[in-house]
């Protein structure tokens, strides 16, 4: 009640301070979350109330508020793209670190490196923290991929992990083996080959036909390290947060046969 009253009747020059203290108090008072704390609703109200105040766009407190709200959204990657398009937090290392870690968790290593590279090019602060996280990310990448990237003659024009580990071929013909009992062939790649025989050489990958009947999209084959430039757009509504606990999700109207 005290925070709600302070927000309602606030007349100072830093409304972000009130919302920041309100959110910290909610996190400390209700560490387990739940409907009593209702943290997602408070975060949503905060980003709506402070929307459009450009004086906070380079403020770490404001960016931290947005990133916490992103944790409550179904698709935080969309929120990070929106922040970049609006130039919110683009001078801060935390945006690029959080964004890259989210991509890395989904296995998009090349895109994660591109986000790190963008932050380094913009000299996001603190720069030493961003550089440290980038080096830690590179250390988690396969040593074989890094060596292949360094030895590649076109390595300067390629993003990290452009040369990926061998992968199973998609939509290839499965020619059965055996006369009496036909079995589908097994093509192991990566660690599976090493687990079967540490001394064995990598098996040649199966090549698809040069004239496929339709095109298969492969995001790993997209060339060029440039990140698409997003133009600032109007903000009709914030990203959709996760379903609140006191709201029922859609379902059947009855349980009859």
């Amino acid at each position: 009640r005290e925070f709600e009253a302070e927000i309602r009747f606030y007349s100072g020059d830093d409304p972000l301070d009130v919302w920041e203290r309100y959110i910290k108090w909610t996190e400390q008072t209700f560490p387990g979350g739940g409907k009593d704390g209702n943290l997602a609703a408070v975060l949503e109200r905060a980003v709506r109330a402070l929307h459009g105040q450009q004086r906070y766009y380079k403020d770490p407190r404001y960016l931290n508020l947005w990133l916490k709200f992103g944790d409550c959204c179904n698709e935080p990657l969309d929120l990070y793209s929106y922040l970049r398009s609006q130039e919110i937090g683009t001078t801060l290392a935390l945006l690029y670190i959080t964004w890259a870690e989210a991509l890395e968790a989904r296995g998009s290593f090349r895109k994660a490196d591109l986000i790190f590279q963008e932050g380094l090019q913009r000299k996001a602060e603190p720069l030493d923290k961003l550089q440290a996280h980038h080096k830690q990310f590179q250390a988690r990448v396969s040593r074989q991929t890094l060596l292949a990237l360094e030895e590649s003659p076109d390595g300067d024009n390629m993003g990290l992990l452009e040369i990926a580990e061998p992968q199973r071929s998609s939509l290839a013909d499965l020619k059965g083996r055996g006369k009496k009992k036909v079995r589908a062939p097994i093509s192991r790649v990566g660690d599976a080959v090493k687990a079967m025989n540490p001394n064995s050489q990598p098996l040649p990958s199966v090549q698809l036909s040069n004239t496929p009947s339709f095109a298969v999209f492969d995001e790993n084959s997209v060339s060029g390290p440039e990140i698409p430039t997003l133009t600032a757009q109007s903000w009709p509504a914030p990203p959709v947060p996760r379903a609140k606990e006191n709201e029922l999700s859609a379902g059947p109207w009855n349980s009859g046969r």
Side-chain angles (χ1 to χ4, degrees):
R1 287 196 299 267
E2 292 177 1
F3 279 113
E4 291 290 344
E6 185 176 1
I7 291 173
R8 183 177 180 181
F9 301 105
Y10 184 77
S11 59
D13 57 354
D14 188 14
L16 175 58
D17 175 68
V18 183
W19 285 107
E20 184 188 28
R21 289 187 286 108
Y22 190 6
I23 292 169
K24 286 184 178 180
W25 175 85
T26 303
E27 292 174 334
Q28 295 173 359
T29 307
F30 306 97
K35 62 181 181 180
D36 293 333
N38 208 9
L39 179 62
V42 178
L43 289 167
E44 185 175 356
R45 289 175 55 200
V47 297
R48 285 181 178 273
L50 300 173
H51 169 63
Q53 300 196 24
Q54 297 185 3
R55 57 175 173 156
Y56 290 135
Y57 281 14
K58 298 181 180 180
D59 194 321
R61 300 175 302 166
Y62 188 55
L63 175 62
N64 190 51
L65 185 151
W66 271 103
L67 296 180
K68 288 182 178 180
F69 178 64
D71 294 336
C72 302
C73 295
N74 295 325
E75 188 48 78
L77 296 181
D78 291 342
L79 183 138
Y80 305 147
S81 298
Y82 169 78
L83 294 179
R84 181 175 62 182
S85 69
Q86 300 295 314
E87 296 292 330
I88 298 176
T90 53
T91 61
L92 303 173
L94 183 59
L95 172 62
Y96 304 100
I97 294 173
T98 305
W99 196 347
E101 288 179 348
L103 289 168
E104 182 184 0
R106 301 188 180 200
S108 301
F109 303 113
R110 191 176 67 88
K111 292 181 180 179
D113 183 71
L114 292 177
I115 295 299
F116 272 122
Q117 293 292 348
E118 180 183 352
L120 295 172
Q121 291 175 3
R122 293 188 180 222
K123 299 186 183 300
E125 295 293 336
L127 185 59
D128 55 346
K129 180 179 180 180
L130 181 61
Q131 292 172 338
H133 278 267
H134 188 210
K135 290 180 180 179
Q136 294 172 5
F137 165 77
Q138 290 178 322
R140 294 191 292 266
V141 176
S142 170
R143 181 63 181 173
Q144 179 180 357
T145 304
L146 289 177
L147 291 176
L149 179 61
E150 294 172 357
E151 295 174 359
S152 174
D154 299 330
D156 295 339
N157 298 325
M158 299 175 63
L160 187 64
L161 294 179
E162 184 74 19
I163 303 175
E165 295 182 355
Q167 299 182 1
R168 292 183 176 87
S169 299
S170 302
L171 304 179
D173 294 335
L174 292 178
K175 185 177 181 180
R177 297 178 181 177
K179 295 182 179 180
K180 296 183 178 180
K181 187 176 182 181
V182 179
R183 296 182 179 179
I186 299 176
S187 177
R188 293 185 172 88
V189 296
D191 295 337
V193 176
K194 299 177 183 179
M196 294 295 295
N197 187 0
N199 298 325
S200 63
Q201 296 296 328
L203 296 176
S205 60
V206 179
Q207 299 295 331
L208 294 177
S209 173
N210 295 330
T211 58
S213 57
F214 57 89
V216 179
F217 175 76
D218 182 7
E219 68 170 341
N220 294 323
S221 65
V222 178
S223 60
E226 294 81 4
I227 301 177
T229 303
L230 299 181
T231 57
Q233 300 177 355
S234 60
W235 188 47
V240 181
R242 297 193 182 101
K244 299 181 176 63
E245 295 186 5
N246 59 346
E247 294 182 357
L248 296 178
S249 58
W253 285 48
N254 56 65
S255 57
R257 287 182 293 175

